Every structure is written in structure tokens, then in C-alpha cells.
Amino acid sequence: MEFNRVYFPRRIALALGRPFVFCVGEPIILIFSCYVAVIFIILYTFSAGYVSIFENIYHIDHRKTGICFFGIVVGVLTSALPVPLSMKYTNRSQSFHGHVRSTGHTNRSLLDGMEAYPSISIWSPIISSVVFGFGVVCVFVSAYQYVAAAYEYYPGNAVASLQMFRLTAAGVMAVIADIMYDKLSPHWTLAVQGAIATIFLPVPYLLYIWGRKVWTWSRYAPTGEK
């Protein structure tokens, strides 16, 4: 842009407008935006259910409920261990191995949350939250790695597109998550989330197989070997 003498207003217009163009016209961005948004919806719904699960079902006070969040913290910190290995083997063509495993962890932790009954040990949902924290971070890292690598000339715009979708999803769930727990009960709310997660489970597997073909439909991805 410096060499082409592009004026500042024009730069701003391009920077702000291109993420919306990516969301509409780029298949890779559209698929990953929906996928990451669903994971974020599950994350917010899962987190919002701590009061319903631990205070209403297990009848512990709010201070101990806060301590239960430490399970997710452990999972998030543990996820840092495979990140360097993932980054080492990530390249422009494929980076879904960790992605696939992590999605399975997310589904499993939702199943454990659905099994939260007073007759079942409180450690069941707490341990599942460790697995959940691990899986969510690995999904996010692998998704952003792939998108940034696929759009090497526009990585900021590509990542911004994913951000828009997932933050919009977060805003929606901040409003309706508590309503779902009140109206549907924790078990049915998490059952619905588990069903949604299961529907989207094949996404990384399908992209692992047909990702190169989808990449050829892109207007903004590198035009070299795909």
C-alpha cells in the first residue's frame, strides 16, 4: 500500500470491509466461522451451567462453585503442552490432527455434564471440565492456525472474520444460556448442546479429506499449489 500510495481512508475501508467479504465469499472462512461459533456457544452454555449443576444439584455454596471452575483452568493450562508440537507440524495444506481429537474431548465432557445427578460423585463433572478446557483451547488454536496459514496474505482479515462470528455467538448465549437452564433443566440443556456438537463433529474430518478442494474455491487464498 505504501508503494501504491493508497490513502489512509482507503486502507481503513479495506481493513474493515474485507472480514465481511471473507465471511460471505470464502468457503473456508464460512465453514470455520460456523464451527468456531458453535464451539463458543457450547463453551458459554457449559460455563453458565456451573450454578445450576453445582449449586442446584449438588447444593454447594457459591464460593465452592467458584473453586470448581479451577477444573477448566487446569484443562486450559494442560492444553499448552501439545501446542508447540502442533505448531511445528502445521503447514499450509493441513493441520487437523489435534483438531479432530479435541472435538471428541468436548463431546465427552458434555456427556459427563448431562450425567450430573446427586447420586453421582461431584468429581465427575469437575474432571469433565478439565477435558473440556483442554479440548476447547486445542480446537481454537488449530482452527486459527489453519485459517492464518491458508490466507497468508490476509491473516488478520481471516482471523477477524472468525472473531466476528464467535463473539456474536457469545453475546447471544450470554442472554439465553440461563434461560435454557431454567426452562429445560441442566440435563436437557446439555443434551441439546451435545446434539449440536455431534452434528458438527464431522467438520474437521471432512475438511481433512476435502480441504484442498474447498481451498481451490477461494479468491483470496494463495494462488500457488493448493
Side-chain angles (χ1 to χ4, degrees), residues 139-175:
V139 167
F140 283 153
V141 169
S142 56
Y144 281 102
Q145 281 181 331
Y146 183 85
V147 169
Y151 294 88
E152 60 180 9
Y153 300 130
Y154 308 99
N157 298 123
V159 171
S161 300
L162 267 64
Q163 289 283 77
M164 287 193 305
F165 262 78
R166 77 181 186 93
L167 293 178
T168 300
V172 172
M173 292 313 301
V175 176

Side-chain angles (χ1 to χ4, degrees), residues 3-216:
F3 288 111
N4 294 330
R5 298 183 180 276
V6 178
Y7 292 105
F8 183 74
R10 176 61 174 167
R11 299 185 195 181
I12 295 297
L14 289 173
L16 295 179
R18 191 174 287 122
F20 293 96
V21 175
F22 276 26
C23 285
V24 176
E26 292 293 306
I28 296 175
I29 296 296
L30 182 60
I31 293 171
F32 267 104
S33 294
C34 293
Y35 186 70
V36 172
V38 167
I39 298 297
F40 219 62
I41 287 174
I42 294 172
L43 170 62
Y44 263 66
T45 307
F46 188 81
S47 300
Y50 269 58
V51 172
S52 297
I53 292 174
F54 293 105
E55 293 188 21
N56 298 340
I57 295 179
Y58 288 102
H59 305 292
I60 64 176
D61 59 50
H62 64 279
R63 291 172 297 181
K64 293 180 180 179
T65 298
I67 295 175
C68 292
F69 275 97
F70 190 68
I72 290 184
V73 175
V74 173
V76 169
L77 295 177
T78 304
S79 69
L81 299 177
V83 166
L85 183 63
S86 174
M87 295 184 69
K88 179 179 178 181
Y89 290 101
T90 297
N91 54 52
R92 293 184 179 91
S93 61
Q94 58 188 26
S95 62
F96 290 101
H97 294 291
H99 200 141
V100 172
R101 291 196 297 267
S102 301
T103 309
H105 292 331
T106 302
N107 278 0
R108 175 58 193 169
S109 62
L110 287 172
L111 178 61
D112 289 341
M114 292 162 54
E115 297 171 349
Y117 290 94
S119 58
I120 299 177
S121 173
I122 193 175
W123 286 102
S124 176
I126 290 177
I127 293 176
S128 74
S129 69
V130 176
V131 181
F132 183 81
F134 178 89
V136 166
V137 173
C138 288
V139 167
F140 283 153
V141 169
S142 56
Y144 281 102
Q145 281 181 331
Y146 183 85
V147 169
Y151 294 88
E152 60 180 9
Y153 300 130
Y154 308 99
N157 298 123
V159 171
S161 300
L162 267 64
Q163 289 283 77
M164 287 193 305
F165 262 78
R166 77 181 186 93
L167 293 178
T168 300
V172 172
M173 292 313 301
V175 176
I176 67 174
D178 290 335
I179 298 175
M180 292 180 66
Y181 280 106
D182 291 338
K183 300 297 183 180
L184 298 179
S185 80
H187 306 103
W188 279 108
T189 298
L190 291 173
V192 170
Q193 299 298 314
I196 295 174
T198 301
I199 292 173
F200 279 82
L201 177 62
V203 170
Y205 293 96
L206 296 177
L207 286 177
Y208 185 87
I209 298 173
W210 290 297
R212 290 177 180 269
K213 178 64 176 179
V214 176
W215 196 0
T216 61

